[in-house]
Amino acid sequence: MDKMLNGVFKDKNVLVTGHTGFKGSWLTTWLNELEANVIGYALDPYREKDNFVVTNLSSKITDIRGDVRDFDKLLSVFEEYKPEIVFHLAAQPLVRLSYEEPRETYETNVMGTVNLLETCKQVDSVRVVVNVTSDKCYENKEMIWGYRENDSMGGYDPYSSSKGCAELVTSAYRRSFFNPQDLDEHGVALASVRAGNVIGGGDWAKDRLMTDCITALQAGKKIKIRSPQAIRPWQHVLEPLSGYLLLASKLYKEPKKYIGGWNFGPEESSIVNVGELVEKLIDCWGSGKWLDTSSNDEPHEAKLLKLDISKARYYLNWSPRLDIDKTIKLVVDWYKEDNISYGFNVQQIKEYINK
């Protein structure tokens, strides 16, 4: 599993914020299999059936409860465990919730990022920082072509805006404190990553499409879809995580060459609308129906969003391994498995690597 990463993570202290979340738990599992010493810093998982809980991941890593808004605690963890590599995933990750809790969204996603970067500035063990933001960080004009890393930041809703702000914060810290020209002095290689709409096993967050779909399918009810024509860059969670790990390994070896922002998204053929995705999911599941519940009273959500992944393809030699059908099969396999375990997730990671 470590061939493409050149053994970079083996025996190194790697800190992951948001490790109890959907993406964070899968990343933590992968890092653990790469024999990293993983330190997780996050709030409690959302539900008892979340991926982090059902795989008993807490028993395999250093599992710390903490809020990224708590600078003093975050700093104390860094000072105690002295991580060399940091993945920052802790966030308020939901668009619709950001309309209800805008202040918490900005505090977590913007000031949480400031706290994380300030901590990395003060602790001299850190060598690589990968800040995970979102494809929604871009000023989305709903164009038919994908956004590139040098396109403008923006965001209509508080969540998207907060991720655009987090990117601006990252850029400011990279220029002001972690400038590549002064790498010999500060020693920190800082990058940000923007992924598409990730799906996969163990995501039970409220208002997520896959959560709504699987909940309805398991209950034998119709899936309620609020924006069937909305187009998104769908990808399995392991796709962007492979990119994050590859980028971090390269930042560790050749820091100046890979500093900056990076997109990780699917091939064009996997950028489909919600209705088509749900139809494919139902077909793979073997039963089910869906219902269009679109309403003019719903809060604004973008109808079209695409990413251009040319930079990662060219400079990292990274490209997606799964098409939309293989992605959905991995998702369905997870939710239909009766005995989810850490080993089952490792098997899915191995299956992905061997594609």
Side-chain angles (χ1 to χ4, degrees):
M1 294 177 69
D2 204 12
K3 286 182 181 179
M4 73 178 194
L5 304 173
N6 300 314
V8 164
F9 299 100
K10 182 177 172 59
D11 298 326
K12 289 188 176 62
N13 289 353
V14 180
L15 191 141
V16 179
T17 69
H19 71 292
T20 60
F22 169 48
K23 287 175 73 175
S25 61
W26 278 99
L27 177 61
T28 298
T29 299
W30 202 333
L31 284 166
N32 192 57
E33 289 301 299
L34 294 170
E35 300 183 68
N37 303 318
V38 184
I39 304 99
Y41 181 92
L43 300 175
D44 289 329
Y46 287 110
R47 302 182 183 182
E48 285 300 309
K49 57 183 180 180
D50 280 357
N51 186 51
F52 177 83
V53 179
V54 297
T55 58
N56 195 27
L57 199 50
S58 62
S59 67
K60 300 183 180 300
I61 63 167
T62 301
D63 180 24
I64 300 170
R65 291 292 173 272
D67 194 318
V68 288
R69 293 173 294 181
D70 186 343
F71 175 75
D72 291 337
K73 182 167 185 178
L74 185 64
L75 179 60
S76 71
V77 170
F78 270 70
E79 290 176 335
E80 179 176 355
Y81 292 97
K82 297 178 173 52
E84 288 187 69
I85 300 170
V86 177
F87 291 94
H88 179 47
L89 287 83
Q92 191 299 90
L94 303 172
V95 171
R96 288 166 71 87
L97 182 60
S98 75
Y99 283 106
E100 301 171 17
E101 300 289 349
R103 181 175 173 180
E104 178 184 341
T105 299
Y106 283 107
E107 286 176 345
T108 303
N109 296 353
V110 183
M111 283 309 301
T113 300
V114 172
N115 288 343
L116 185 283
L117 295 176
E118 191 64 24
T119 299
C120 292
K121 184 160 69 76
Q122 295 190 29
V123 177
D124 60 11
S125 64
V126 178
R127 291 291 170 266
V128 171
V129 183
V130 176
N131 181 27
V132 180
T133 63
S134 170
D135 58 350
K136 296 173 182 63
C137 68
Y138 293 107
E139 182 62 40
N140 188 5
K141 300 173 184 177
E142 308 209 15
M143 301 180 292
I144 60 172
W145 52 85
Y147 292 98
R148 295 183 176 182
E149 287 82 352
N150 57 357
D151 281 326
S152 299
M153 298 294 107
Y156 182 104
D157 56 88
Y159 168 76
S160 302
S161 169
S162 74
K163 287 299 188 177
C165 290
E167 283 285 355
L168 294 176
V169 166
T170 303
S171 178
Y173 266 76
R174 185 165 49 237
R175 291 170 175 172
S176 303
F177 309 113
F178 304 132
N179 197 301
Q181 295 179 351
D182 305 319
L183 187 66
D184 292 340
E185 297 176 23
H186 57 73
V188 177
L190 173 59
S192 61
V193 292
R194 305 119 189 208
N197 284 54
V198 295
I199 57 178
D203 182 11
W204 295 103
K206 182 182 177 183
D207 287 330
R208 288 253 177 86
L209 175 62
M210 202 51 57
T211 304
D212 295 344
C213 289
I214 298 300
T215 300
L217 288 171
Q218 289 180 339
K221 298 180 179 179
K222 287 185 177 180
I223 303 169
K224 296 180 180 179
I225 303 300
R226 59 180 181 266
S227 300
Q229 298 305 316
I231 297 173
R232 296 286 186 276
W234 308 103
Q235 57 187 155
H236 192 274
V237 63
L238 297 178
E239 295 274 40
L241 295 186
S242 71
Y244 303 170
L245 289 167
L246 181 60
L247 174 61
S249 69
K250 289 183 177 295
L251 283 165
Y252 194 89
K253 294 287 188 180
E254 301 178 82
K256 288 186 179 180
K257 190 174 179 181
Y258 299 99
I259 287 169
W262 299 84
N263 288 340
F264 296 98
E267 301 286 6
E268 181 74 21
S269 60
S270 292
I271 303 176
V272 300
N273 67 40
V274 172
E276 186 176 347
L277 180 79
V278 173
E279 287 283 359
K280 287 179 176 292
L281 178 67
I282 288 172
D283 183 60
C284 188
W285 189 269
S287 64
K289 295 182 179 180
W290 65 274
L291 179 68
D292 185 351
T293 60
S294 303
S295 169
N296 293 330
D297 296 330
E298 296 285 351
H300 175 274
E301 291 188 73
K303 302 301 182 188
L304 174 62
L305 180 58
K306 296 183 180 182
L307 290 177
D308 186 317
I309 58 172
S310 301
K311 181 180 176 183
R313 195 190 300 275
Y314 183 79
Y315 290 104
L316 298 177
N317 196 27
W318 177 91
S319 60
R321 297 171 181 235
L322 306 173
D323 60 24
I324 190 67
D325 294 312
K326 291 175 182 176
T327 292
I328 290 173
K329 184 180 185 306
L330 271 183
V331 174
V332 169
D333 286 348
W334 196 99
Y335 285 107
K336 282 204 163 187
E337 174 62 34
D338 292 328
N339 297 301
I340 291 297
S341 65
Y342 177 86
F344 184 84
N345 280 13
V346 171
Q347 188 57 45
Q348 284 212 326
I349 293 172
K350 288 180 178 178
E351 185 179 341
Y352 169 76
I353 290 172
N354 290 330
K355 292 292 183 184

